[in-house]
Amino acid sequence: MTTQTFFFIFIPILAIVLLGLNLIFAPHNPYDEKDSAFECGFHSFLGQNRSEFSISFFIFALLFLLFDLEILLVYPYVVSAYVNGIFGLIIMLLFFLVLTLGFVFELGKNALSIDSRQVYYVK
Amino acid sequence: MNNFLLDFLALGAIVSGILVITSKNPVISVLFLISVFVNVAGYLVLLGVGFIGISYIVVYVGAVTVLFLFVIMMLNLQLAELNAVGSEYTQNLPLGAILGSVFLFELTSVLPPVLGQSFSQVMLGVLTTIHSNLLGKTDYNNVNDVHLAFQSLNIDTAFTSTSGLQIQSIGAMLYTHAAIWLILAGVILLLAMISPIVLSMNRK
């Protein structure tokens, strides 16, 4: 049996044994306050949990997805650059240029600036 | 060993998919969606297409799941009004039955007969009868043996002989023969980049 097969069998058994030991031997006395989520000592009211947040957080995640896809499509070029030659390089640069246009647009519009919620007091 | 793991991953994907739909809490639904993605990525890696499998994990679990969570954050969901009870639940069942039977019809006609030739023909006959009674259409061209048109090879090994690794052969093909589609994909990504910024801009 190889090491890999041994680990595949042994590690789930070990995890289940340790969890089972905790389940059998640990004391279990729950009450309401213990079960609820910890929120710095405060109790959260229904309807007070949501607050507004800036849309730029969402734009951050969306732009991460798009540039992630771009990297995923450039990665096969990186490992096959010798085979593709100059033609492949030009195609990759065209693809990169198209997406760099989008990047420049986003930089110019300051789309990722998160508005500060700090209030400035003038003394 | 490989076949057992494939069946295990497929079962995990199906069970996770069912739990996505039937979970009460939307965040638990997203967690089971992550489980679907991971199971399908493992399945793809075992099939031989490692690049696509790993890219599933990177793109789906890494970015698409975060976007799902943002959408759930932005919707004002009251958990009490999410669970439909009584007549609100039963009024959706006929539509669900029709859509489910359409899906079953496609599955049994396209996939190769797993449980025997006669079982799939009986299934097709039942679904055709139900559809013709409900929707009034009586002539159905029962396509038999559609699955013979889809021959899934394990991996296409014609290109790996030139460049060795799978990702190198993908790169070699993508940047020469499929260059126009790559640039088209770039234009689509550019559109996706510009439109949310324009839509969410503050006009001062």
Side-chain angles (χ1 to χ4, degrees), chain A residues 29-95:
Chain A
N29 308 316
Y31 50 91
D32 245 353
E33 196 63 37
K34 230 205 250 188
D35 269 346
S36 62
F38 179 67
E39 299 196 32
C40 296
F42 295 104
H43 292 266
S44 66
F45 297 97
L46 188 66
Q48 257 193 10
N49 294 342
R50 306 167 56 86
S51 60
E52 287 182 352
F53 58 92
S54 164
I55 193 88
S56 31
F57 291 109
F58 177 73
I59 303 291
F60 247 111
L62 190 66
L63 287 175
F64 166 70
L65 170 68
L66 295 169
F67 288 117
D68 203 16
L69 287 170
E70 170 185 359
I71 295 269
L72 202 69
L73 286 171
V74 173
Y75 180 36
Y77 174 74
V78 169
V79 296
S80 68
Y82 184 71
V83 176
N84 283 328
I86 305 251
F87 182 74
L89 177 69
I90 293 179
I91 296 292
M92 192 275 281
L93 285 176
L94 263 181
F95 175 70

Side-chain angles (χ1 to χ4, degrees), chain B residues 63-78:
Chain B
V64 171
T65 310
V66 175
L67 290 179
F68 268 105
L69 283 172
F70 265 110
V71 169
I72 290 179
M73 266 200 276
M74 291 198 210
L75 296 172
N76 194 5
L77 294 167
Q78 309 291 337

Side-chain angles (χ1 to χ4, degrees), chain B residues 131-161:
Chain B
H131 282 161
S132 61
N133 287 341
L134 273 179
L135 305 172
K137 188 174 179 326
T138 48
D139 53 346
Y140 276 95
N141 301 325
N142 257 0
V143 278
N144 299 320
D145 297 332
V146 178
H147 63 274
L148 289 178
F150 298 99
Q151 300 286 343
S152 65
L153 307 166
N154 277 332
I155 359 167
D156 205 351
T157 50
F159 299 118
T160 52
S161 58

